[in-house]
Amino acid sequence: MADRRLLMIPGPIELEPDVLTALSEKTRSHVDPTFIEVFGRALGRLREVFLAPDAQPFVVAGSGTLAMDMAAANLVEPGTRALVVDTGWFSARMAEILARWGAEVVRVGAPIGGAPSLDEVAATLARGKFDLVTITHVDTSTGVRADVEGLARLAKAHGALVVVDGVCAAAAEVLRMQAWDVDVALTASQKAIGAPPGLAIVMARPAALARHRARKAKVPSLYLDFAEWLPIMEAYEARRPHYFATPAVNLVAALDTSLGLLIAEGMEARFARHARLAGAFRAAWSAMELSLLPRPELAANTLSAVRYPSGADAKLVAAIGKEGIVVAGGLHPEAKAEYFRVGHMGAISPSDVVAVVSAIERAFRAAFGQERRGLAAAQAAL
Ligand SMILES: *Cc1c(COP(=O)(O)O)cnc(C)c1O
């Protein structure tokens, strides 16, 4: 029997049938006029999804980590000072990437499940000159959502560029890239943006492009250099052929289809749907007497990081799988064995919430003999 389990991890996610159809179309030449049209349209659609008419999109083959690398490669030169707002393991990865490109990195963090306050970040900014501030919009290892708007305002007041890792947030959590003056926002195709894994997406606004142009030395990596890709992206948007490195033709077609669906739903409606469904999950966790890894006021709308209650452990993940739902284990090295994660982004509906919560109820019963009822609370919230 075909695998009919519902994929509810924090990426990759369940895909819309139209997206899968686009993926399976005959592979065209990357300079075929019909593909140029698709790629050009997808680039324009990304500006709508990020609410940033003045941003330059870069779409290249790679994962979210490559998007992080691309942002860092273009903005960092030896001695660049970067402040990393540290909300978990992916923030730590950003710090590592920045350091590898030669940045002097200062991390401002909090105990696991927390986030530094705006005052703490402001105090660090006041103590030294920073060229960059990086923010993980949702840290997938902790389920913590950062206050991008507030942090961006602080960073701007100190003259720093703002880089947002939106891999587990973009197209689901509210991000007003231009209104909030975020300079770079990045994501990957397999998360809330709703396409298969394989594309790195970097949105760069004018101040970030200007910083790149003002570099003393070339970007050491050819593949990551904005200067190599900018003429390519501009050519596709102008519906002209131009080659630097072969685009992932089928993935771009799938991305374009997904972006079309997102825009048809409307970004505000999409943000609201994610908030509503996440609220229903949180109502269920609380009725089941399960606590979250993140501080409650920081809990993301794209995933839940839920602690195992006493008497239960990581065997729960496999038990939920047997009930037809694929969820993920813990990821943060300090607390890996203490929690599991349910992704709730993309094309999910109230019926999916009901299916997931009832499967988790059955798994608690089957694996640990525990009665934990969350379905009625989820239904009421829906
Ligand atoms: C998934 C994720 C990444 C890494 O993306 P990959 O596609 O796995 O390389 C980076 N940052 C965040 C916040 C993520 O959730």
Side-chain angles (χ1 to χ4, degrees):
M1 197 172 84
D3 185 357
R4 297 210 41 198
R5 290 177 306 163
L6 193 62
L7 185 59
M8 295 293 284
I9 64 173
I13 65 169
E14 285 287 334
L15 302 180
E16 295 273 25
D18 286 356
V19 173
L20 288 172
T21 304
L23 183 72
S24 66
E25 277 166 15
K26 179 179 161 62
T27 299
R28 286 168 275 185
S29 159
H30 57 290
V31 292
D32 186 296
T34 64
F35 176 70
I36 292 174
E37 174 60 29
V38 165
F39 200 174
R41 184 173 58 203
L43 295 169
R45 285 175 165 171
L46 281 169
R47 288 196 189 83
E48 292 183 54
V49 168
F50 282 82
L51 304 176
D54 70 356
Q56 174 60 51
F58 295 90
V59 176
V60 303
S63 81
T65 305
L66 187 98
M68 297 164 81
D69 229 359
M70 188 181 217
N74 283 281
L75 299 179
V76 172
E77 293 190 84
T80 297
R81 286 184 40 87
L83 187 158
V84 172
V85 179
D86 187 350
T87 50
W89 193 68
F90 283 105
S91 307
R93 173 173 293 187
M94 184 62 99
E96 167 71 15
I97 287 172
L98 292 164
R100 292 222 188 171
W101 286 103
E104 291 168 23
V105 179
V106 175
R107 279 158 70 168
V108 184
I112 187 166
S117 69
L118 291 181
D119 287 346
E120 288 165 314
V121 175
T124 307
L125 283 168
R127 279 200 295 274
K129 172 86 187 96
F130 287 93
D131 305 295
L132 285 183
V133 171
T134 71
I135 307 163
T136 311
H137 195 167
V138 169
D139 199 300
T140 322
S141 71
T142 55
V144 168
R145 180 182 54 231
D147 173 4
V148 172
E149 185 179 15
L151 290 164
R153 196 179 301 123
L154 280 181
K156 284 309 164 99
H158 286 84
L161 288 183
V162 176
V163 176
V164 173
D165 170 354
V167 180
C168 195
E173 300 281 4
V174 181
L175 174 67
R176 304 185 192 286
M177 187 182 181
Q178 190 162 328
W180 294 355
D181 208 6
V182 168
D183 299 293
V184 173
L186 59 92
T187 190
S189 49
Q190 79 275 21
K191 304 238 178 150
I193 217 144
L199 293 176
I201 297 165
V202 178
M203 305 293 291
R205 292 191 45 251
L209 295 174
R211 178 72 58 88
H212 162 264
R213 279 194 303 273
R215 294 175 63 90
K216 291 191 195 70
K218 280 187 176 177
V219 174
S221 157
L222 184 78
Y223 188 72
L224 295 177
D225 192 346
F226 282 167
E228 301 295 338
W229 286 110
L230 186 60
I232 306 302
M233 299 298 144
E234 287 174 343
Y236 276 103
E237 276 210 88
R239 308 300 194 262
R240 283 188 284 108
H242 199 5
Y243 168 75
F244 163 58
T246 309
V249 170
N250 293 60
L251 289 173
V252 169
L255 174 70
D256 175 56
T257 300
S258 185
L259 294 172
L261 294 170
L262 305 195
I263 290 165
E265 178 178 12
M267 294 318 294
E268 302 301 331
R270 200 171 164 84
F271 298 148
R273 177 171 57 79
H274 281 86
R276 188 163 56 86
L277 298 181
F281 274 114
R282 287 195 281 268
W285 311 140
S286 139
M288 296 167 93
E289 297 184 345
L290 299 173
S291 61
L292 298 180
L293 185 71
R295 293 206 315 257
E297 72 278 15
L298 302 177
N301 289 331
T302 49
L303 82 155
S304 291
V306 185
R307 288 187 183 278
Y308 299 119
S310 69
D313 59 27
K315 289 196 280 294
L316 183 68
V317 171
I320 297 170
K322 276 196 202 132
E323 299 298 335
I325 310 285
V326 182
V327 300
L331 183 63
H332 197 292
E334 281 167 39
K336 236 181 167 73
E338 295 166 23
Y339 68 105
F340 66 103
R341 296 173 303 148
V342 179
H344 30 80
M345 55 190 144
I348 59 164
S349 69
S351 309
D352 296 322
V353 179
V354 168
V356 171
V357 171
S358 65
I360 295 177
E361 285 187 359
R362 295 196 301 279
F364 268 112
R365 201 173 298 132
F368 308 107
Q370 296 187 357
E371 282 303 322
R372 294 186 179 273
R373 294 177 192 277
L375 200 48
Q379 292 276 38
L382 291 167

